[in-house]
Amino acid sequence: MTRRELLTSMPLLAVSHAARAGPQLEIRAARLRQQIESLSAHGRPSGGSFSDGVSRIGYSDADIAGRKYVLSLVEAARLKARIDAAGNIFVRKPGTNAALSPVLFGSHIDSVPNGGNFDGDLGSLAAIEVLRVLGENGIVTRRPLEAVVWSCEEATFNGNTLNGSRAAAGKLRPGELEGVSRGLTLSESMRRIGGDPARLDETQLRSGAFHAYLELHIEQGGTLDKEGTSIGIVEGIVALDHYDAVITGMANHAGTTPMADRQDALLAAAQLTLAVREVVTQQPGPQVGTVGHLDVEPNASNVVPGRVRLSIDLRDLSTEKLRRLGEAIRARAAAIGAQTKTQIVLTQTQHAEPALASSEVKAVIQRAAAQLQLSHRSLPSGAVHDAQVMATVGPMGMIFVPSVGGISHSPQEVTSWEDCMRGANVLLQSVLALAA
Ligand code: HGY
Ligand code: MN
Ligand code: MN
């Protein structure tokens, strides 16, 4: 029997207390909902409510408060948390065979500015809920189980993304720990949340560190919602290239500087933003490009802008296509600089490789969804996830649930409570199958 046949022939619940673990074993939906609602209070706009979303930037006070809330849930589950050198939270539930590698599953709780309540939060809290429900039902799996809440997944630290998982996998770039965002270096930020970056080497997740990694996440696109499909089985995650453009012109008086004599950095930034769109849409395909962040100096209504820093985010399943898009944008930037009498320096600050999900893990998720009688389909992920870093360490799989209207990274990000529960139950059953 091949490994694939073995996995697909496994009973849905092959655990040591099988008698107590009938197919009715489920996550506690009301409790999971209440936890997602409670976590949302940390980073909520003042005077706001759940529907106003969150700004829980990685390493911020709101993030620290949210992490504290997560730790209280770990305690309520009668489990112990371990903070690794990068500040990631790991929660282990031992199996019957301590010599086996664990099944690892989780997500993140940091958010983009003005983000939603489900991106990362669902997968993180569902992971802890899975451990809690198993504990409450006296179920001990053969393999150890480990829930994880990765730190600073969003691109809120100088545009760098997946900080916690990359640090855990030994994938930070040279000098990255010394980079500064919001007045703190990445090292200082990690220490702020209980990490110890001097020990990153020691605690690095190396090949074989886990049997499989699973992440439950909202789709963040509209495919599942449009079709009315409950569960997405992720085939792979797109590659991402991130560039920083620094445009230097000359700050000058808005009333006395003739139009012809200006070196307006914001004008160049506007042209570069349009050029990114033109380059990306020049050929057919699913590739996307976004200018999402601008710092304008001095940002005063009566001064011609002297300096602009902007971000360019390019995504596609093909690394080669991203490289070509980057080159074309670089050529356009040089032309725009010459035409606007500004200097444009384009630096690539990040490259995340595309990551394919493991066919064994996909089969396990598919089986769990089928046995729970949930409609399901395969689909790619256009958003980046910690799962793509974990794919460099071991087998990875992701479970998607529908995002209403395909809206995400917005306070209007919504996944129905029913879909949250369905996704969490697929996670529970997939974890059990993988840990048997
Ligand atoms: O930016 C992303 O794709 C993810 O949501 N962090
Ligand atoms: Mn996100
Ligand atoms: Mn996310």
Side-chain angles (χ1 to χ4, degrees), residues 85-353:
N88 302 307
I89 300 172
F90 286 88
V91 187
R92 187 174 271 239
K93 183 176 183 304
T96 54
N97 188 341
L100 294 176
S101 57
V103 175
L104 183 66
F105 48 101
S107 195
H108 62 97
I109 63 155
D110 65 303
S111 81
V112 295
N114 299 315
N117 292 305
F118 297 88
D119 176 359
D121 300 0
L122 171 62
S124 300
L125 298 182
I128 294 166
E129 173 65 18
V130 163
L131 296 183
R132 188 164 174 182
V133 154
L134 293 177
E136 286 167 347
N137 285 274
I139 294 168
V140 182
T141 48
R142 197 165 68 92
R143 289 183 177 275
L145 304 180
E146 197 146 45
V148 60
V149 179
W150 301 109
S151 55
C152 197
E153 187 268 357
E154 299 289 3
T156 50
F157 195 98
N158 283 341
N160 293 337
T161 185
L162 310 168
N163 282 348
S165 52
R166 284 191 303 118
K171 302 235 173 287
L172 291 181
R173 291 177 301 280
E176 216 176 325
L177 283 171
E178 288 76 50
V180 177
S181 178
R182 295 179 179 79
L184 292 179
T185 64
L186 184 54
S187 280
E188 288 163 342
S189 300
M190 285 178 176
R191 279 197 288 273
R192 192 159 192 260
I193 58 166
D196 181 3
R199 290 182 46 244
L200 277 174
D201 268 0
E202 249 171 77
T203 60
Q204 190 179 320
L205 293 176
R206 295 175 206 276
S207 169
F210 52 78
H211 176 61
Y213 174 77
L214 277 172
E215 185 162 346
L216 166 65
H217 206 282
I218 57 169
E219 183 197 340
Q220 305 184 276
T223 309
L224 297 175
D225 186 47
K226 259 187 227 133
E227 282 183 4
T229 302
S230 298
I231 298 293
I233 303 163
V234 173
E235 295 160 326
I237 305 172
V238 292
L240 178 152
D241 277 354
H242 188 273
Y243 293 84
D244 235 14
V246 176
I247 306 173
T248 310
M250 167 92 84
N252 210 338
H253 198 289
T256 60
T257 316
M259 295 309 277
D261 296 345
R262 294 182 178 210
Q263 291 172 264
D264 185 335
L266 185 55
L267 184 68
Q271 293 188 13
L272 184 57
T273 304
L274 290 172
V276 168
R277 187 181 171 82
E278 283 161 17
V279 166
V280 170
T281 53
Q282 230 153 36
Q283 52 175 306
Q287 67 277 1
V288 287
T290 306
V291 173
H293 179 99
L294 276 95
D295 279 327
V296 181
E297 291 175 24
N299 210 15
S301 61
N302 57 354
V303 185
V304 176
R307 189 173 180 274
V308 172
R309 181 174 161 189
L310 64 80
S311 65
I312 303 172
D313 175 309
L314 303 175
R315 304 187 192 203
D316 191 79
L317 270 173
S318 156
T319 299
E320 174 51 27
K321 194 194 277 178
L322 289 189
R323 195 192 56 73
R324 277 189 275 113
L325 293 175
E327 268 175 19
I329 290 169
R330 209 178 272 289
R332 291 290 298 271
I336 292 166
Q339 192 229 323
T340 55
K341 293 178 279 184
T342 60
Q343 191 202 19
I344 304 183
V345 178
L346 208 62
T347 310
Q348 182 166 1
T349 53
Q350 186 152 352
H351 169 72
E353 283 289 320

Side-chain angles (χ1 to χ4, degrees), residues 302-436:
N302 57 354
V303 185
V304 176
R307 189 173 180 274
V308 172
R309 181 174 161 189
L310 64 80
S311 65
I312 303 172
D313 175 309
L314 303 175
R315 304 187 192 203
D316 191 79
L317 270 173
S318 156
T319 299
E320 174 51 27
K321 194 194 277 178
L322 289 189
R323 195 192 56 73
R324 277 189 275 113
L325 293 175
E327 268 175 19
I329 290 169
R330 209 178 272 289
R332 291 290 298 271
I336 292 166
Q339 192 229 323
T340 55
K341 293 178 279 184
T342 60
Q343 191 202 19
I344 304 183
V345 178
L346 208 62
T347 310
Q348 182 166 1
T349 53
Q350 186 152 352
H351 169 72
E353 283 289 320
L356 293 182
S358 130
S359 39
E360 281 90 359
V361 179
K362 280 191 294 183
V364 166
I365 298 170
Q366 195 267 337
R367 233 172 91 73
Q371 296 211 19
L372 291 168
Q373 299 185 325
L374 297 173
S375 55
H376 53 276
R377 62 164 283 160
S378 294
L379 79 183
S381 171
V384 300
H385 296 287
D386 295 304
Q388 75 201 76
V389 181
M390 288 306 108
T392 67
V393 180
M396 169 281 278
M398 284 194 80
I399 302 158
F400 273 180
V401 286
S403 293
V404 175
I407 300 170
S408 182
H409 282 185
S410 151
Q412 285 163 42
E413 170 186 286
V414 173
T415 292
S416 74
W417 295 116
E418 292 73 25
D419 282 330
C420 289
M421 181 198 69
R422 291 182 184 116
N425 278 321
V426 172
L427 176 69
L428 169 63
Q429 298 300 344
S430 303
V431 164
L432 285 172
L434 286 162

